Amino acid sequence: MARRSDHTREEIKTMAVAAGRELIRDAGYAGFSARKVATAIGYTVGTLYNVFENHDDIILHINAVTLEDLLSVMESRFGVSGDASADLDDYEALRALAACYIDYARENYNCWSALFEHNLAPDMPLPDWYGEKIGALFTLIEARLKPVVGEDEAELRQTARVLWASIHGICALTLTNKLTLVGVETAESLTAALIGNYIAGLKTRPARL
């Protein structure tokens, strides 16, 4: 493929991310490759690696769009930091957030799955800018847990991630049709029980000295 110079670096980056996300949306993470992205936008693979640091950097930028999209969906339904769910109690608000997460994963399965199928190279730390996008999503959960957990930021952070990991597990089992193997009909029934018991446990836990 001949070299081109029709676009700026930022334009090439934007084009590559859009093309890569479309590849993943249509064919899943396994269908992605830098060469396919380069072909889709009419540039060489070498050009891509002049714009991105490496293969991992391309995937992170693509997955970042998915994180932004998920956050946008949640904020449009609940408001920034869950404000729009202020009329719901903690249990119902967390159930609604869980349902939103599961719905998004169901409707955008390939892009959602790519968030977890991709593994960074062992020597590549997670970039701060990417971690901030993940943190923005957890802000929604933390806002509804704070009245129960209290002001301890470390405990709030850990509690939100434990709850999310549990909901994510239910979501993953649902979308791979594994829940039926253990006799569970819906993800909603499991998340309702999980969140109800979790909130009850937090409210009755012994006070810290």
Side-chain angles (χ1 to χ4, degrees), residues 145-181:
L145 285 171
K146 195 168 187 177
V148 183
V149 175
E151 299 294 330
D152 187 321
E153 293 298 326
E155 184 180 8
L156 182 61
R157 175 185 172 85
Q158 182 183 54
T159 301
R161 282 150 181 77
V162 169
L163 183 58
W164 168 80
S166 302
I167 293 169
H168 174 76
I170 293 171
C171 181
L173 288 170
T174 299
L175 298 183
T176 53
N177 298 313
K178 297 297 191 296
L179 281 184
T180 55
L181 296 178

Side-chain angles (χ1 to χ4, degrees), residues 5 10 96 114 125-126 132 146:
S5 57
E10 284 305 310
L126 189 70
E132 289 170 2
K146 195 168 187 177

